[in-house]
Amino acid sequence: LSRSIKINFNAANAAVIDEPDEYISRPDLELIDPKDRKDAIWDNIREGGRTKDYNHQMRATFAVPLKSIPLVDWVKLDLGYDATYSWKAAAINTDSLGNVIQNGQKSTVSTEFDFTKLYNKSKYLAKVNKPGGATTNKGPRTPPGQPSNPSADPKKDDPNKSDADKAKDDKKKSQEISPPLKVALRLLMAVRKFRVNYGETNGTTIPGFTPQSEILGMESGFGAPGWSFISGIQPKINKKAYQDEGDYLADARDNGWITTNAFQNAPVLQFKTKSLDSRLSIEPFTDFKIDFDFTRNLTTNYSVFFKTYNKTGNTIEDIGRRSPREIGNFTISYLAIPTLFMGDSLRVNQLFDKFETNRAIISKERGIGEHEIDGTEYAEGFGRKQQDILVPAFLSAYTDKDPVNFEFTDMFNWIPKPNWTLNYSGLSKLAMFKNVFTNVRLTHGYKSTLSINTFETDLSYDDYDEFNNEEVGQRNPMNLDSISKNYYSQFLLPSIIIEESFAPLIGLDVKMKNDMNFSFSYTKRRGLSMGFISYELAETRSTTVDFGFDWKLKDVRIGFLPGFNSQANKKKPSTPKPGGGGGTPKLGNDLSILFDLSFSDNITFNHLLDQEAGARPTRGSKDITISPAISYDVNKNVSLRFFVDYRRQQPYVSNSYLVVNVEGGVTVRIKLE
């Protein structure tokens, strides 16, 4: 087990040799004894000087040797741990402000399950997984120089075979898997691979730290800042000002590790990043692959001032938390297909109306009583523009889910939804297409993400009842906005963005035997950006159809070009070249015909909450692009290209104009050698 464990540790300590002042009393110009000064310098040298900066890094990796265990050798597991620690001294003239300590931690887990290897542990299932068409005729071959026997059929039994050989053949035939059974077993073994990568990156910075660095960045008693801190393990820092139990900062204050100087104005910082990347590969049959992807990323940055504001006090009891704040961003793979194809203006307005209607339903689910401003339709503190009502109302409407049963849990703990890609390239292997197509590839894919580019703590949020000394949650009377009569939310979300696309919904690439190629793709996209400050939704919808064609013609002769209209280039009998290199002379060069056609429909609607007017288009257009081209290589040094590029853009809004651009011409490229 230990052979696959690797640990690296690096440390660096920077120190300075302090020199005593040359004067005992500068006003009196009284010099210090040179011997005493020299002895003090040598004492500082022997002690290693005064540490200014200490840091170390540690990295540990463990490739779990599962391959050595036959039962689980189809599983791969890698673990990684990185830790950093640094201690930085305060300036010698402001050492009362304390030093700065910082640690970091990165943990990774990577695992992969190779189910194909698991299935192949069974010889019977290994036959099913074996690609078809690999069998060869192992019967007797006709010796060289002798005529073959066309009447010989290898499938017929040889009358000269012995009974033992016939019994072996019968046994072999009985062990063969019937095609229907093979298809059924292959479907049961459709799951081929599953991969998961998970990582966490954390870090903490604490200013105003008074203990000195002596051994491994700790004081001589190995108490401060602690073995766990210098090992990269993140200290527990409670977000609530009244929660001191088990809190690292509270323990550091009680141990006298935090300066009491009120001029220490740097905040305590702690950040966390959690990332998940996973893929499930499914192959129901050969050449047909489906990959499901799951992603999730959450980053938070927490800051708090842990200091005293009493300029005349010098006791640790004056040290406390001030101005806690947390900001971050969040991205998760999502799924909102049910409403993606509701693209006409009527259904676009119906979706937004449903969003507005869901607010009252969710308000009654979350609260009780009656809202002071918005009336009986809404519960107390949860009005029509309260953030914790708008978010689930928006998501339930645009994912076509029941608002009554919509999950109200913390969205930062949601499980990612699947995105997928599909590829099938087996059509060209069918007997009816084998002689026509070189390759036929079908593609399909869906990708969607829900993103919160930034969120931050609402400093007005208060879920603590000071009179009863207990946490009562969001519905605390002290947590009610006196103007809007809505409860404050724990986090402020400026906006939520949903991006989704079928890219493509249908994709086809065809390569034919005659060097003719076709491509077709139909793409559908939607973007939703809901602002919870402007109460405005920007909805962008896009549909694109692309068609491509190219055909490469070989040995094309163009008569009007130089070198092709002379009698010398007329076809003549070929003259054998030395070494057998003769043959029909080449009459022309390669000619490529290309044609691209694209239709695109892009439109953006803006919706405003509680407005009678429906959605209005703010930008967008219908675009058509036609691009034919012909390329021809006159010789190895000269090439020609004839092209036309037609683009038409018809806008949806009245303050824009119809735009048509047409370009065309001939490009001559000459290579000088």
Side-chain angles (χ1 to χ4, degrees), residues 9 11 54 56 85 213-219 222 225 227 230:
F9 180 82
Y54 171 83
H56 67 228
Y85 169 72
S213 170
E214 297 182 16
I215 302 176
L216 291 176
M218 294 194 292
E219 64 177 1
F222 298 103
W227 287 103
I230 70 169

Side-chain angles (χ1 to χ4, degrees), residues 5-11 56-62 81-84:
I5 298 177
K6 296 180 180 179
I7 300 176
N8 294 326
F9 180 82
N10 299 305
H56 67 228
Q57 304 88 33
M58 181 180 68
R59 176 171 176 78
T61 59
F62 182 27
Y81 182 84
D82 292 83
T84 61

